[in-house]
Amino acid sequence: MIVALIDSGLGLLPTAAWLRKLRPDVDLLLQLDPDGAPWGPKPEAWTVQRVLDTAADSLRLGAEVIVLPCNTASVTALAQLRAMVGPEVPVVGTVPAIKPAAAECRSVAVWATAATTASRYQADLIARFGGAAEVVGIACHGLADSIDRGELAAARRAIASAAERTPDGVEGVVLGCTHYPLMADEILAALPAGVRLFDSAPAVAAQTVRRMEELGRPSTGNGTILVRTSGRPGPLPPSAGAFESGRLLGVGLS
C-alpha cells in the first residue's frame, strides 16, 4: 500500500508523521514542489494543473491513496482531482479544525496565510462550523514561507506578530495552514498559558487510514519513504533539517 501526500512544501510532514504513527507499515510517497512554491498566490488554473500532474506522477509510481495535506490544494483542486482519478482511488483533503475548536472553546482564532484568511472559503467554514463560538481570523504573514525555507528566526517573528494580534481571552487557536504544526511548540510559547491548539493533521491521517482499510487490500509495505521534489527523485529539502528534533517529526520521520 502506497499513500501519496501532495503539497507545495513541508506542510505535508505533520500528516505524514501521524500516518507513520497510525500505520508504520504503509509506504509513503512525499510529493513536494519547491519549484512551484508557494501555491497560494498562484492562479487557480495553474495550481489545479500542478496538483493533477503530481497526482498522475504518483499513480504512475503505484500510489493507491492520495492525500492533499494542504489547504490551498484542497480548496482549489480537490474536486478536479477526484474527477480525474475516479472512485477507485481514495482522495483525502484537508479542512482547518474549526469545528472541533468551536465545539470546545468559546472564543477561537484561526491562524492561516493571508490569502486563506481573506478567502470566502474560510469565511464559509466559520459560518458553517463556528457555532456559538466567537471566531476571528489572524493572518500569519510569511510564516509558511519561513518554515519552508528553514528560516527559524523569521518564523518566530511571524509567530510573535500573530500572537500580538490575537485577541485577549482566546481559548483556542486553529492551525489553519498545514505548515504551522511544525512550529507548534513555539506557537504555544507565544500564546497565554492555557490556550489550546487545534490541528487537522491527526484527523486527516485517521481519515486516510479509514479510506485505506475500505479498499480491503492487504498492506505489503515496510514503511518506506520516497521523496520527490517537483517531479524529480530527491531527499527532503535542506530546510526540513531545521525540524528534525521537532515534536511531530519525532513521531516517525526523523
Side-chain angles (χ1 to χ4, degrees):
M1 179 73 69
I2 298 176
V3 176
L5 296 94
I6 298 173
D7 191 4
S8 61
L10 299 182
L12 53 70
L13 291 180
T15 300
W18 280 101
L19 277 171
R20 292 285 284 172
K21 181 178 181 179
L22 295 173
R23 288 290 301 270
D25 58 306
V26 171
D27 295 334
L28 301 180
L29 171 59
L30 307 185
Q31 292 270 24
L32 300 90
D33 185 25
D35 291 356
W39 286 350
K42 299 291 196 305
E44 182 173 314
W46 184 96
T47 303
V48 170
Q49 194 58 54
R50 201 75 165 185
V51 171
L52 296 184
D53 289 346
T54 306
D57 181 59
S58 301
L59 294 175
R60 181 180 62 80
L61 293 170
E64 298 177 72
V65 179
I66 297 176
V67 184
L68 298 183
C70 170
N71 293 291
T72 296
S74 297
V75 173
T76 306
L78 185 61
Q80 295 92 327
L81 176 55
R82 285 175 171 160
M84 183 188 85
V85 303
E88 299 83 11
V89 179
V91 177
V92 180
T94 299
V95 175
I98 294 171
K99 185 175 181 178
E104 299 180 30
C105 302
R106 292 169 296 179
S107 57
V108 175
V110 183
W111 284 26
T113 64
T116 298
T117 301
S119 69
R120 185 69 218 169
Y121 163 73
Q122 179 164 298
D124 288 343
L125 287 177
I126 292 172
R128 289 172 59 196
F129 301 122
E134 181 179 349
V135 183
V136 62
I138 303 295
C140 300
H141 303 283
L143 179 53
D145 292 343
S146 297
I147 291 172
D148 265 342
R149 294 192 295 265
E151 297 174 354
L152 298 186
R156 292 185 179 111
R157 288 194 295 271
I159 289 169
S161 172
E164 290 174 359
R165 289 178 284 112
T166 297
D168 293 338
V170 160
E171 297 179 357
V173 169
V174 174
L175 302 180
C177 172
T178 55
H179 289 65
Y180 298 172
L182 293 169
M183 299 289 288
D185 291 341
E186 288 82 355
I187 292 171
L188 276 175
L191 294 167
V195 175
R196 299 173 58 189
L197 297 187
F198 292 83
D199 170 24
S200 60
V204 173
Q207 174 66 2
T208 301
V209 170
R210 285 192 289 270
R211 297 304 306 276
M212 288 165 44
E213 292 173 347
E214 288 171 1
L215 292 174
R217 303 170 191 163
S219 173
T220 58
N222 57 10
T224 298
I225 297 177
L226 174 66
V227 178
R228 287 174 71 80
T229 56
S230 299
R232 303 181 300 272
L236 285 172
S239 54
F243 306 99
E244 282 184 355
S245 60
R247 174 174 58 87
L248 286 169
L249 288 187
V251 170
L253 293 183
S254 61

